[in-house]
Amino acid sequence: MTETTALTTRPTAADYARASRAQNTMLAYRFAWRSFAKWCEAEGRLALPADPLTVADYLAFAAQARKDSQARKPSQAHKDNEARKPSQAHKDNEARKPSTLAVHVAAIAAAHKAAGHPDPTADEHVKATLAGIRRRHGKPPVQREPLTLNDLRALVRACGDDLAGLRDRALLLVGFAAALRRSEIVALDVEHIRLNGVLRITLTRSKTDQEGQGITKTIPRLADQELCPVCALRAWLDAAGIRSGAIFRSISRWGKVGRRLSPYDVARIVKRRAEAAGLDADMLAGHSLRAGFATVAALAGLDPIAIAEVTGHRNLNTLRKYIRAAGRVQADAISRVMGGQAG
């Protein structure tokens, strides 16, 4: 199976050449290619091989559609759906951001290279079109706030003692303490952990470990029982009767433990508990757990290398972006130099 086929049809067998790319990357490429091919069919253009002008026109169309969509005031229902997993129909009609169009360009290039055709995205006209879209429509990404320890404590206190509360408390504390990504939290299985005084987590695959060599994180039992991930996880597993398989699962209205949670569920849990705690849920997301640990650790004076041991960052520059995004490190530095912050 060629990569072009993989981009346009459902994969049917292991293909080691395609395995060199992360699964999420291939999913994004596959959707992007289908979007481009659908547009070409509607316009009577050839998608493979595509002319550079075809690619440029597609980008201009997608960017203009994005502009038109911005002129419409989003409904409350649309806002409420931001944290939910979008349906395929919604994806087909949603606006394209410049960063999304860059993924489309990469997908078109990959499809042509795999099929042995010249890459139309290498043409200067395509490059100039994408650069113009970035200049006209580009915006800084919306930065979600990292959780502070006080925020985390408030979220934990907003969790009840029912099954959902026990699950959410364990998810929040483990996600924060191990600085896990949303996808890593929900991918955890009982077989990936050891609970014996301390909590040892083995990540079988992560964003920085696509080859599956495995990353181990060790979380100690904390003196502060309210913030102890070890205690919270043990309480959840015992109450839910989970002995194998997915650790974090859905719970029905009747209290029945169900399927594995999705990354989008992590965002919903953070927002729901933040709202219950009286925090600004709009400024928090699933990523606030991981970013929160990095930021709190930096403010505590930990060495960036020590922080990276927990977060798994291979590039310290990327880690610094996490911390700078909150503005907390800068504020702390300025207040120390200039005599402290006002009460």
Side-chain angles (χ1 to χ4, degrees):
M1 178 185 290
T2 66
E3 185 166 349
T4 308
T5 306
L7 289 169
T8 55
T9 63
R10 187 176 62 182
T12 58
D15 185 330
Y16 292 117
R18 286 190 294 111
S20 64
R21 286 193 173 95
Q23 182 181 9
N24 286 344
T25 299
M26 287 305 303
L27 289 174
Y29 279 16
R30 191 174 296 118
F31 169 73
W33 175 259
R34 287 173 179 166
S35 178
F36 173 65
K38 182 178 179 180
W39 179 85
C40 287
E41 182 179 4
E43 294 291 317
R45 309 276 189 103
L46 189 62
L48 190 70
D51 184 271
L53 289 178
T54 295
V55 179
D57 286 344
Y58 167 72
L59 295 175
F61 166 82
Q64 186 61 40
R66 175 178 179 271
K67 180 180 179 181
D68 291 343
S69 69
Q70 287 180 331
R72 297 191 294 270
K73 185 177 180 180
S75 65
Q76 185 60 44
H78 174 75
K79 292 179 180 178
D80 293 341
N81 282 332
E82 278 190 345
R84 299 175 187 167
K85 185 175 181 179
S87 66
Q88 187 62 44
H90 175 70
K91 283 186 176 181
D92 288 339
N93 296 319
E94 70 180 1
R96 305 287 193 255
K97 298 179 181 179
S99 57
T100 301
L101 292 179
V103 175
H104 286 221
V105 168
I108 294 169
H112 281 74
K113 290 176 182 177
H117 295 299
D119 178 10
T121 69
D123 187 88
E124 289 301 321
H125 189 63
V126 175
K127 293 179 180 180
T129 300
L130 186 57
I133 290 171
R134 286 185 176 129
R135 181 179 294 274
R136 178 167 293 188
H137 299 299
K139 290 183 178 180
V142 177
Q143 296 288 351
R144 302 302 182 188
E145 289 289 332
L147 283 171
T148 65
L149 277 182
N150 287 337
D151 293 337
L152 180 64
R153 194 181 297 276
L155 264 64
V156 167
R157 288 176 177 173
C159 298
D161 292 325
D162 57 355
L163 272 180
L166 293 174
R167 178 201 63 193
D168 292 356
R169 183 179 292 110
L171 185 150
L172 292 168
L173 292 175
V174 171
F176 185 94
L180 298 176
R181 299 175 177 88
R182 297 180 306 164
S183 59
E184 294 169 347
I185 293 174
V186 299
L188 287 177
D189 289 341
V190 173
E191 292 77 11
H192 300 156
I193 68 169
R194 291 187 63 186
L195 264 173
N196 186 17
V198 299
L199 170 61
R200 287 187 175 84
I201 300 173
T202 299
L203 301 179
T204 57
R205 191 176 299 274
S206 69
K207 186 176 181 180
T208 56
D209 180 35
Q210 293 296 334
E211 295 182 2
Q213 296 180 2
I215 299 173
T216 300
K217 300 192 178 187
T218 302
I219 303 176
R221 185 183 293 271
L222 303 181
D224 188 339
Q225 296 289 301
E226 190 174 44
L227 294 181
C228 181
V230 178
C231 300
L233 185 58
R234 171 55 67 194
W236 157 242
L237 292 176
D238 288 346
I242 296 175
R243 299 290 179 264
S244 63
I247 289 178
F248 296 113
R249 309 185 188 191
S250 62
I251 301 171
S252 72
R253 67 180 67 179
W254 300 281
K256 183 178 180 180
V257 178
R259 61 171 177 80
R260 183 189 302 273
L261 295 181
S262 76
Y264 300 94
D265 291 320
V266 176
R268 284 196 285 270
I269 288 171
V270 170
K271 288 179 176 294
R272 183 169 63 246
R273 296 304 180 183
E275 187 173 347
L279 301 178
D280 187 354
D282 289 339
M283 293 306 297
L284 297 173
H287 192 67
S288 298
L289 297 170
R290 177 172 167 81
F293 177 88
T295 302
V296 172
L299 290 177
L302 270 67
D303 185 272
I305 295 178
I307 300 175
E309 280 290 318
V310 178
T311 63
H313 281 99
R314 294 182 178 180
N315 188 327
L316 292 183
N317 288 329
T318 303
L319 176 60
R320 291 188 182 99
K321 290 178 182 177
Y322 269 72
I323 300 167
R324 291 196 194 107
R328 299 182 188 275
V329 172
Q330 297 96 321
D332 183 65
I334 292 170
S335 65
R336 289 187 182 186
V337 170
M338 302 185 70
Q341 299 184 39

